[in-house]
Amino acid sequence: MTDILIADDHPLFRAALRQAVEASFSEASIHEADSLAALEQIGQQGQHFDVILLDLHMPGTHGFSGLIYLREQYRKVPLVVISATEDVDVIQRAIHFGADGFIPKSASVDTMTEAMRQIMDGKQWLPEKARRAMPPTLPDHTAMKERITSLTPQQFRVMGMLMEGMQNKVIAYELDVSEATIKAHMTAIFRKLGVRNRTQAVLALKDLAIDAQGVEGN
């Protein structure tokens, strides 16, 4: 049996994707997550997956940092970005940050099926226009990748809220912990990222943001 994880916060698209996957992989066991927190709960259960379909804009996965973090958590699992954007730069950067493939949400069911089969067979799959484009010379993000993957799940969640501009007391309320706990997490996050404050953290992570011109939402 093939185990497939669909990680997307948009319920209508998640339902449509599930229907497409069920039609193409009749024996598949399909799991769903609508946030990073839900993904972590599934991960704690030790569930094995044959492929993960990830929406770049899912809550908690700020920019490409979520892709980097999940790539580390599921090193041996094919990880496919499913996105509304078809911007070549975003596609190439997704591959640069660890995705095994990139499927636009506009793709037909047949195209999506073929893409998933190739990726599960160990091949890379990209939209035709991304295959034709010359690979860009992207900066070496090795150090930042190592810093992000060194974060604990709770620290990564707090970092995502920090990147959304949330204050400590709001983060504490959302996570149902004390503000002192959040301050301790912030101290650890700054240390691991090699920065001293919120502003420096945002600047350090700016290269992982998704270009707003290439993003059309879910």
Side-chain angles (χ1 to χ4, degrees):
M1 180 179 291
T2 302
D3 286 282
I4 299 173
L5 172 61
I6 300 174
D8 192 303
D9 70 310
H10 197 294
L12 289 179
F13 180 77
R14 200 167 62 245
L17 184 56
R18 181 187 185 98
Q19 191 173 43
V21 171
E22 287 176 337
S24 303
F25 301 88
S26 58
E27 299 299 318
S29 175
I30 302 173
H31 308 260
E32 298 182 18
D34 60 2
S35 66
L36 181 66
L39 263 177
E40 289 173 350
Q41 289 181 350
I42 293 174
Q44 290 170 359
Q45 298 170 4
Q47 176 66 49
H48 165 79
F49 297 111
D50 294 289
V51 64
I52 296 174
L53 307 178
L54 173 69
D55 176 20
L56 283 177
H57 308 292
M58 192 174 67
T61 58
H62 183 81
F64 288 102
S65 63
L67 172 58
I68 293 171
Y69 188 75
L70 291 173
R71 177 73 287 168
E72 175 67 17
Q73 302 303 306
Y74 297 94
R75 292 185 182 183
K76 298 181 179 180
V77 181
L79 202 164
V80 187
V81 168
I82 304 285
S83 180
T85 181
E86 299 186 29
D87 186 84
V88 172
D89 174 68
V90 174
I91 295 172
Q92 292 173 333
R93 292 173 71 203
I95 299 302
H96 173 70
F97 287 120
D100 296 295
F102 191 106
I103 304 175
K105 288 186 175 181
S106 63
S108 67
V109 173
D110 288 344
T111 297
M112 191 175 296
T113 301
E114 178 60 23
M116 288 178 61
R117 291 192 188 284
Q118 288 192 28
I119 292 167
M120 285 190 285
D121 284 341
K123 302 174 183 177
Q124 186 183 85
W125 193 93
L126 301 173
E128 184 62 34
K129 64 179 181 181
R131 293 177 223 161
R132 295 196 304 264
M134 289 293 291
T137 301
L138 296 172
D140 184 359
H141 293 95
T142 302
M144 183 52 68
K145 288 179 182 178
E146 292 176 349
R147 291 171 182 171
I148 289 175
T149 55
S150 72
L151 298 172
T152 66
Q154 188 76 329
Q155 288 168 359
F156 186 83
R157 191 178 298 121
V158 170
M159 184 192 76
M161 293 179 171
L162 178 159
M163 296 300 291
E164 292 173 6
M166 297 171 65
Q167 296 301 310
N168 287 358
K169 62 181 180 180
V170 179
I171 297 175
Y173 176 80
E174 290 291 331
L175 298 180
D176 194 23
V177 297
S178 69
E179 192 170 346
T181 296
I182 297 304
K183 288 180 179 178
H185 282 316
M186 287 293 183
T187 298
I189 291 168
F190 295 158
R191 175 175 52 79
K192 290 182 177 182
L193 294 182
V195 301
R196 295 183 178 181
N197 53 48
R198 284 171 167 263
T199 300
Q200 290 183 356
V202 171
L203 290 174
L205 295 168
K206 66 181 177 62
D207 285 345
L208 303 185
I210 300 171
D211 185 353
Q213 294 180 352
V215 176
E216 299 177 8
N218 292 323

